[in-house]
Amino acid sequence: MKSGVIALVGRPNTGKSTFLNAVLGESISIVTPKAQTTRDQIRGILSDERGQIVFVDTPGIHRAREGGINAFMMQEVKRALEGPDLVLYLVDPFSKPEAERLVLEVLRLSEAPVLPVLNKCDLTKREPERFEWVATYFEECRTVLTGAGVEVLSPIQISAEKKTGVPELVTGLFDRLPDGPPLYEDPDALTDRSSRFVVAEMIRKQLFMKLGDELPYSCAVEIESYREDFKPVAIAALIYVERESQKGMVIGAGGKKIKEIGTAARKEIEELLGERVFLELRVKVLEGWTSESRKMKQLGYEFDGKGTRAGKERR
Ligand SMILES: Nc1nc2c(ncn2[C@@H]2O[C@H](COP(=O)(O)OP(=O)(O)O)[C@@H](O)[C@H]2O)c(=O)[nH]1
Ligand SMILES: [Mg+2]
């Protein structure tokens, strides 16, 4: 049996979480049209007769000021590059070499081989000349990374959304991985994260879908209580914002907005859990939490190389 860990890295919005969900056939990592939705690393586990691949989804690589939530996200990317068997470097055809070079800076540190993957190839059929930069850039990528001692594999193209090339890629990945026992023994486990975490993420997804451009970046979700012994399952969650003025925006006139968010989130949670759910949402202000590490830690976004949301879940 094959066994190994594969990190998914790339700029924000390149389809890393979409790819993970496509491979697993189940939505465990949230996907939205907005950049920087994923904040923590999240592992997706693919087990079949060939063996087990653990995919590590990560936040998008971007420039981050020290100490804040964006720096936490970059820490999560760097942690994912510690020790995988292979790195999938996802590139969006509408990106630019200047933006991608930021990823090269991070990938230079990789000890594992890097496989460049052009995603969203369903969008490149028309105006192919527009995407000629990719081949040139992948050459640059090979030169730079090889120069830094990183092995680079031949680039491939996929569409994570349409699943084009995805089964073939997975077969290729199994072929490359070493023989070994599975990292996770439960053959039905899809992720290393608890259902509490995934539920909190689904609520966060709806904040991205239903709120204005900037507001979701000021939001965090904490599960206050999760009662599986109740029917329907009773979940109470707190949505944290960072300013008093944001509270009203999340709640909306007459509570309309938060109701909309709650209904959409509940439907997805019910689909995930396969049973009915009662979801209660409340909004609370944690002044300036995205830029204060003590408050971030309170919400599970912890700096120290180890403390992650998973760490918080165990406490
Ligand atoms: N057309 C197309 N859109 C995609 C594809 N993969 C992802 N997307 C879209 O790109 C956006 C960002 O995807 P997401 O998985 O959240 O990107 P991430 O930030 O890298 O995790 C979403 O709107 C996805 O639906 C693809 O193969 N084709
Ligand atoms: Mg993502």
Side-chain angles (χ1 to χ4, degrees):
M1 297 289 268
K2 300 289 191 150
S3 169
V5 177
I6 293 179
L8 307 174
V9 305
R11 293 278 297 157
N13 244 358
T14 50
K16 299 177 289 299
S17 301
T18 304
F19 174 78
L20 182 68
N21 294 339
V23 165
L24 298 179
E26 193 100 39
S27 291
I28 59 147
S29 193
I30 60 171
V31 172
T32 82
K34 293 185 185 174
Q36 293 169 29
T37 311
T38 308
R39 276 184 191 152
D40 313 72
Q41 58 163 271
I42 167 165
R43 292 176 155 217
I45 306 161
L46 176 70
S47 307
D48 66 21
E49 64 289 348
R50 295 169 287 187
Q52 186 181 74
I53 304 180
V54 177
F55 290 96
V56 187
D57 190 13
T58 64
I61 293 173
H62 59 283
R63 286 199 196 283
R65 228 181 307 139
E66 239 173 85
I69 184 71
N70 289 296
F72 168 83
M73 287 157 70
M74 286 306 293
Q75 165 190 281
E76 292 292 272
V77 178
K78 291 192 178 130
R79 278 201 322 124
L81 286 172
E82 290 166 10
D85 295 284
L86 189 78
V87 177
L88 287 196
Y89 167 22
L90 272 75
V91 174
D92 185 308
F94 294 94
S95 183
K96 293 192 283 289
E98 304 83 73
E100 294 300 325
R101 286 185 188 120
L102 202 54
V103 182
L104 286 190
E105 283 174 35
V106 177
L107 286 180
R108 292 171 71 100
L109 308 171
S110 174
E111 285 175 16
V114 171
L115 170 57
V117 178
L118 179 66
N119 187 28
K120 311 195 185 182
C121 71
D122 54 299
L123 303 177
T124 58
K125 304 277 178 301
R126 260 190 262 164
E127 303 179 81
E129 60 292 346
R130 203 176 152 176
F131 308 105
E132 276 164 9
W133 71 272
V134 180
T136 318
Y137 171 70
F138 279 164
E139 272 314 308
E140 176 186 338
C141 176
R142 174 184 300 281
T143 310
V144 170
L145 294 183
T146 309
V150 181
E151 185 188 348
V152 180
L153 308 177
S154 298
I156 58 156
Q157 295 192 18
I158 62 163
S159 165
E161 195 157 280
K162 307 269 188 260
K163 302 199 184 180
T164 318
V166 173
E168 294 82 353
L169 171 54
V170 170
T171 301
L173 296 175
F174 269 119
D175 287 345
R176 275 201 70 91
L177 289 179
D179 293 327
L183 266 136
Y184 295 89
E185 274 178 24
D186 178 1
D188 295 324
L190 282 175
T191 174
D192 63 325
R193 297 299 189 152
S194 66
S195 36
R196 274 176 97 102
F197 175 85
V198 179
V199 162
E201 288 288 279
M202 287 182 159
I203 297 166
R204 218 162 55 74
K205 171 182 173 177
Q206 293 306 325
L207 298 171
F208 272 90
M209 302 303 279
K210 308 275 184 206
L211 299 175
D213 277 349
E214 298 302 321
L215 190 48
Y217 299 100
S218 292
C219 293
V221 175
E222 184 179 69
I223 304 296
E224 275 187 294
S225 74
Y226 191 114
R227 300 288 306 262
E228 279 170 301
D229 50 332
F230 282 32
K231 296 290 164 223
V233 174
I235 302 171
L238 269 177
I239 298 167
Y240 285 94
V241 291
E242 53 178 344
R243 281 191 301 279
E244 192 61 42
S245 61
Q246 294 171 333
K247 201 171 158 178
M249 291 193 266
V250 175
I251 295 171
K256 198 165 162 245
K257 202 58 166 182
I258 194 154
K259 198 165 170 206
E260 226 178 273
I261 292 164
T263 305
R266 178 178 51 77
K267 284 188 182 144
E268 289 210 29
I269 296 164
E270 286 178 338
E271 202 167 309
L272 174 85
L273 301 180
E275 60 182 321
R276 288 194 44 230
V277 167
F278 175 76
L279 177 65
E280 186 194 4
L281 299 178
R282 292 193 298 133
V283 187
K284 208 170 156 176
V285 182
L286 188 60
E287 198 69 37
W289 73 265
T290 60
S291 49
E292 284 180 51
S293 51
R294 189 177 50 80
K295 291 177 179 172
M296 281 169 49
K297 183 174 166 183
Q298 186 185 329
L299 297 174
Y301 301 114
E302 193 175 345
F303 287 105
D304 71 6
K306 282 194 191 69
T308 64
R309 260 168 126 64
K312 179 175 166 131
E313 283 171 359
R314 280 193 293 274
R315 278 201 295 274

